[in-house]
Amino acid sequence: MKNTTFTYEEAVKKIDSIGGKPIVVEAQWDGDTQGWFLRMFVIVRTGIFKKTESSHYLGTISLGGDIGLFQGTIPPYSEVKVAQEIGGKLKDKYGLEFFFPSPNNPDDDCPRWTERHRAINCENCNKLIIPTDSPYLPKEICYNCHLIRKQNQRIIDEEPYDDGVDMYLNKNGEFQSLGFCSNFESFKIAPFIKEKVEGVSNEEGIKIVTLPQDDIKKLIQDLEIEIDKQILEYEEPKIEKRMSRFVTTQKMKYKEKEFELMNRFNSHHENLIGLISSFDTAKRAFSESFEYKIYFKKGISHRDDSVLRFVNYSGKGKMKIDQIYERFNGIISTEEVDKTISKLVKIGCMKLNDNEAEVTEIGKNIV
Ligand SMILES: [Zn+2]
């Protein structure tokens, strides 16, 4: 959905042009591959002896910036504020009901106003929902609460959470992220630095592999040899007409020559894109005196990750222990929180100052 919105004045104009008595304005979530947005409707009652109610579309609010639902934190949706503002003003003007069943998080299982008699209240958050007909999902709670419940179970069970490797460029306390991959092998430079990371995955805790300048120099040379070999087979993009909608090309410079490369449906080109950008990064790292830092996790559980993430994001890196107890209250005991913090301290992800836990640089770099 492209970014779009509408004003209170536009809504009033539309409602007045419909005629009849506006009795409800509703805001409903909808989503597409790019994210969530809100659609608003007005329900109008017409007729004198035989009254009928009809729903009319008012407009859509899609403001972009939807970064999705990431672990345990729900980003604020700016669409909500706009909808509440318009809905509130319309409520005052017409004395109608503003029906917004899910203002706290996106949900497309909520009832329309006209089908609210079919809805139930979520047992956890009290939101009105139409019970799901999926055999795999619980019917008594909403989808969001289901996700929270599942995540809480992982925290209770201390399910392993070792997946993922983080890579950074580092110099004098400055870290630039080069990305995160579920497996080390997915990094383009993995085959070139294999011997540097050998044996790493068997060690408990956080293991950091550093590539100092000498190793970066070697990496640049190895990448160059590989690109020189690959580029001999370079052919200009041939894009069939029926594919042209799905492919874009990019121009990349390598050794003063420009190459046009397809970003899809051409594995040779895709490989070259990865190699050349890794080469450029390595050259920049070398000339600007950076080191590579690669973070591997072993023996980390969802419980450890959740506590670390909570302090890092909700507390901006620092938090009173009591607040951590409160956050995990009803999920794990205070003793279990203490144990988790001790473990995080032991593996170098946290520091303790009196009654406060602080996330270290290592901790920051793995969440
Ligand atoms: Zn709920």
Side-chain angles (χ1 to χ4, degrees):
M1 170 65 66
K2 275 197 300 195
N3 283 8
T4 176
T5 188
F6 64 99
T7 63
Y8 161 73
E9 287 77 19
E10 287 167 330
V12 167
K13 221 171 136 189
K14 235 178 207 174
I15 292 171
D16 291 345
S17 74
I18 296 164
K21 183 178 164 49
I23 51 168
V24 178
V25 159
E26 57 179 318
Q28 297 285 354
W29 289 102
D30 204 346
D32 61 19
T33 52
Q34 280 149 52
W36 291 97
F37 48 88
L38 279 168
R39 283 152 60 81
M40 288 182 77
F41 304 88
V42 61
I43 312 283
V44 171
R45 188 172 283 157
T46 46
I48 301 167
F49 300 111
K50 191 174 175 296
K51 288 186 169 52
T52 50
E53 283 151 11
S54 55
S55 167
H56 304 264
Y57 170 74
L58 279 182
T60 296
I61 308 164
S62 174
L63 301 173
D66 171 12
I67 44 171
L69 204 75
F70 58 91
Q71 271 233 325
T73 42
I74 297 150
Y77 286 86
S78 35
E79 287 86 354
V80 170
K81 228 183 118 202
V82 178
Q84 278 172 332
E85 221 174 273
I86 297 174
K89 280 188 183 169
L90 293 174
K91 179 180 169 180
D92 291 344
K93 178 174 169 68
Y94 295 103
L96 48 71
E97 177 190 348
F98 178 40
F99 184 70
F100 189 1
S102 187
N104 295 321
N105 42 55
D107 193 329
D108 54 8
D109 294 327
C110 291
R112 289 293 308 267
W113 183 79
T114 46
E115 56 179 5
R116 66 200 183 287
H117 58 279
R118 283 179 48 215
I120 58 163
N121 291 87
C122 165
E123 273 183 15
N124 270 21
C125 71
N126 208 36
K127 174 167 68 186
L128 275 181
I129 46 165
I130 301 281
T132 171
D133 49 16
S134 162
Y136 308 105
L137 293 171
K139 296 198 191 306
E140 73 282 7
I141 53 173
C142 72
Y143 187 66
N144 193 58
C145 288
H146 162 69
L147 291 181
I148 293 171
R149 191 187 270 185
K150 251 173 68 178
Q151 178 59 14
N152 287 347
Q153 198 56 49
R154 291 191 195 105
I155 293 170
I156 294 165
D157 296 342
E158 295 192 89
E159 235 178 76
Y161 190 62
D162 287 332
D163 284 344
V165 179
D166 295 273
M167 199 184 282
Y168 293 86
L169 288 185
N170 164 239
K171 138 177 109 176
N172 312 326
E174 179 196 348
F175 285 87
Q176 297 178 4
S177 173
L178 293 181
F180 166 88
C181 287
S182 305
N183 301 298
F184 171 68
E185 288 71 27
S186 307
F187 283 107
K188 205 70 209 173
I189 61 170
F192 304 95
I193 55 170
K194 222 167 46 198
E195 71 275 16
K196 294 279 160 203
V197 304
E198 240 149 49
V200 154
S201 51
N202 293 321
E203 293 177 38
E204 283 271 315
I206 311 298
K207 176 74 182 172
I208 308 163
V209 172
T210 302
L211 299 186
Q213 288 266 297
D214 280 351
D215 286 337
I216 299 175
K217 208 170 160 184
K218 173 92 176 18
L219 173 64
I220 295 170
Q221 286 164 359
D222 291 346
L223 280 165
E224 190 175 350
I225 292 168
E226 183 61 24
I227 298 170
D228 285 345
K229 205 171 84 188
Q230 297 277 340
I231 216 122
L232 290 176
E233 289 160 38
Y234 171 76
E235 281 176 22
E236 279 180 16
K238 280 190 214 91
I239 303 166
E240 289 174 52
K241 206 161 179 201
R242 64 188 175 92
M243 298 303 249
S244 59
R245 271 198 303 145
F246 308 105
V247 187
T248 53
T249 65
Q250 66 186 91
K251 292 196 168 109
M252 286 188 108
K253 240 186 174 164
Y254 177 69
K255 292 188 176 173
E256 301 307 312
K257 265 178 89 179
E258 207 172 57
F259 298 89
E260 191 175 8
L261 298 162
M262 284 163 70
N263 64 353
R264 285 174 83 185
F265 306 118
N266 185 325
S267 55
H268 184 241
H269 279 195
E270 288 164 55
N271 191 29
L272 272 172
I273 290 173
L275 287 170
I276 295 173
S277 50
S278 300
F279 178 71
D280 290 343
T281 303
K283 279 210 308 197
R284 180 170 72 83
F286 186 75
S287 68
E288 295 175 18
S289 312
F290 280 102
E291 293 180 333
Y292 281 73
K293 294 266 183 201
I294 309 163
Y295 291 74
F296 294 86
K297 296 179 276 188
K298 180 81 184 173
I300 305 295
S301 69
H302 274 276
R303 188 183 291 182
D304 308 325
D305 182 73
S306 285
V307 171
L308 190 61
R309 218 168 262 276
F310 178 61
V311 178
N312 191 55
Y313 291 107
S314 300
K316 297 200 167 65
K318 257 189 212 171
M319 198 173 261
K320 292 257 179 291
I321 307 287
D322 285 343
Q323 287 175 280
I324 309 176
Y325 290 158
E326 203 177 300
R327 156 67 179 86
F328 292 94
N329 184 23
I331 306 167
I332 50 175
S333 67
T334 54
E335 288 79 16
E336 285 170 315
V337 171
D338 287 340
K339 242 179 93 185
T340 307
I341 293 171
S342 300
K343 178 178 171 185
L344 289 167
V345 169
K346 198 174 149 221
I347 61 174
C349 294
M350 254 187 194
K351 275 192 308 201
L352 271 181
N353 325 307
D354 296 324
N355 294 319
E356 199 174 62
E358 188 181 341
V359 180
T360 62
E361 198 66 56
I362 296 177
K364 260 181 220 155
N365 286 343
I366 62 157
V367 289

